[in-house]
Amino acid sequence: PRDAEALAERRRLKRRLSGWRAFALVGAVAAIAAAGGRFNVLGVADHVARLSIAGIIVDDPDRSRALAEVGRDPAAKALVIRIDSPGGTVVGGESLFRDLRAIAEKKPVVAVLGEVAASGGYMVALAADHIFAREATITGSIGVILQSTDVTGLLEKLGIKPEAIKSAPLKAVPSPLETLTEEGRAVAKEMVDDMFDMFVGLVAERRGLSRERAVALADGRVYTGRQARARDLIDAIGGEADARAWLQEQKGIRARLPTREVTVERDDGMWYDLIS
């Protein structure tokens, strides 16, 4: 009888332990589900990504790869772009604009303009869903420029006569080593006008302006943040805190989420930084 009672007690204890294990499992699943809104499968906390753009903007495949990762990262709930740049190459601005628009198809993107966000810097800002600037931010400078220098007069005084064997007259035009012809000037102007047409098209499309108004604003001048706001080139006066508040109010992304800087990994990072 004692053995039967002991066996029965062990069975009751086993059932109680099984019940506690099931309860613990349910609790663990519930905890994981609750954390699902704050952590992804890699254990990275939900956050707002931030990309800082400073200096001259050029095409950068490493930066493009880093931004593609931001677009794929479920923990990155939005992207803030901080821009402090006088511009750069047309291709550099265009490629960054396209990378940011690809992210904007998946999550909100907001731009915060610093001291200067002009020319290519403003082109990049156009990729954002909302643009903030300070009252005195230098922005605008919508246009394209191609510069060269004619040093043939100086070379002549020095007794230096440059020679060029070319496959056609317009090869390497404009060149500082030869006087620019009217034909060469017309070809260069045609190229500049085509790039300008692309830039103005982005301004009109992204800022909801008519083509005529965009062209009128794109005479190359710079604007203060206040002037840009009055002309609908930006959306609001403010900084990053205002951008986070806008994300919370308009996109439901909590302002208390931490910010994580987008890092661009480079194999030759030291040399790239030195050259930059």
Side-chain angles (χ1 to χ4, degrees):
R2 292 181 179 176
D3 292 340
E5 291 178 1
L7 179 60
E9 182 62 28
R10 283 199 298 271
R11 287 175 178 172
R12 286 193 295 270
L13 179 60
K14 187 176 181 180
R15 284 195 298 270
R16 285 197 294 269
L17 289 174
S18 297
W20 280 109
R21 289 194 188 99
F23 180 78
L25 179 60
V26 171
V29 171
I32 292 172
R38 296 186 293 120
F39 295 90
N40 65 13
V41 293
L42 298 178
V44 178
D46 283 355
H47 62 276
V48 171
R50 179 173 60 207
L51 175 69
S52 297
I53 301 296
I56 303 300
I57 299 171
V58 297
D59 192 17
D60 186 347
D62 294 325
R63 182 186 60 212
S64 294
R65 283 192 290 271
L67 287 173
E69 292 178 4
V70 172
R72 291 190 296 266
D73 186 358
K77 300 304 180 182
L79 174 63
V80 173
I81 326 160
R82 292 191 60 90
I83 304 173
D84 201 340
S85 168
T89 67
V90 178
V91 170
E94 179 193 357
S95 63
L96 183 49
F97 172 89
R98 302 297 177 194
D99 290 339
L100 294 171
R101 286 309 303 156
I103 294 176
E105 292 178 358
K106 305 173 184 177
K107 57 194 71 180
V109 176
V110 60
V112 178
L113 313 188
E115 301 281 350
V116 179
S119 193
Y122 180 68
M123 180 187 289
V124 170
L126 290 172
D129 303 311
H130 210 72
I131 304 175
F132 288 89
R134 295 299 185 184
E135 291 188 359
T137 294
I138 300 301
T139 187
S141 187
I142 303 167
V144 179
I145 184 172
L146 174 64
Q147 291 179 308
S148 183
T149 302
D150 184 349
V151 299
T152 55
L154 175 62
L155 294 179
E156 184 178 355
K157 290 182 180 180
L158 296 175
I160 300 172
K161 184 179 180 180
E163 294 282 356
I165 300 173
K166 305 194 292 185
S167 59
L170 295 176
K171 178 66 177 176
V173 171
S175 167
L177 300 180
E178 61 183 58
T179 300
L180 185 62
T181 65
E182 288 304 317
E183 183 184 16
R185 180 176 284 103
V187 169
K189 181 66 164 57
E190 183 180 1
M191 182 181 67
V192 168
D193 287 346
D194 189 60
M195 291 188 285
F196 175 70
D197 183 71
M198 182 270 289
F199 196 169
V200 170
L202 292 180
V203 174
E205 175 189 353
R206 296 296 303 154
R207 298 307 304 167
L209 305 175
S210 67
R211 175 81 183 183
E212 293 72 22
R213 188 176 181 208
V215 169
L217 293 172
D219 59 1
R221 76 180 71 184
V222 294
Y223 301 100
T224 66
R226 295 202 307 175
Q227 290 174 324
R229 176 67 191 90
R231 291 163 173 80
D232 296 320
L233 292 174
I234 67 170
D235 295 293
I237 299 297
E240 187 167 350
D242 301 286
R244 293 299 302 271
W246 180 84
L247 284 171
Q248 178 168 288
E249 294 168 4
Q250 300 297 322
K251 303 297 180 179
I253 297 171
R254 291 181 295 121
R256 296 181 63 182
L257 282 181
T259 301
R260 292 188 63 187
E261 195 74 25
V262 177
T263 56
V264 180
E265 296 183 0
R266 307 183 190 280
D267 294 333
D268 55 348
M270 179 184 71
W271 294 109
Y272 184 92
D273 291 341
L274 287 174
I275 293 171
S276 296

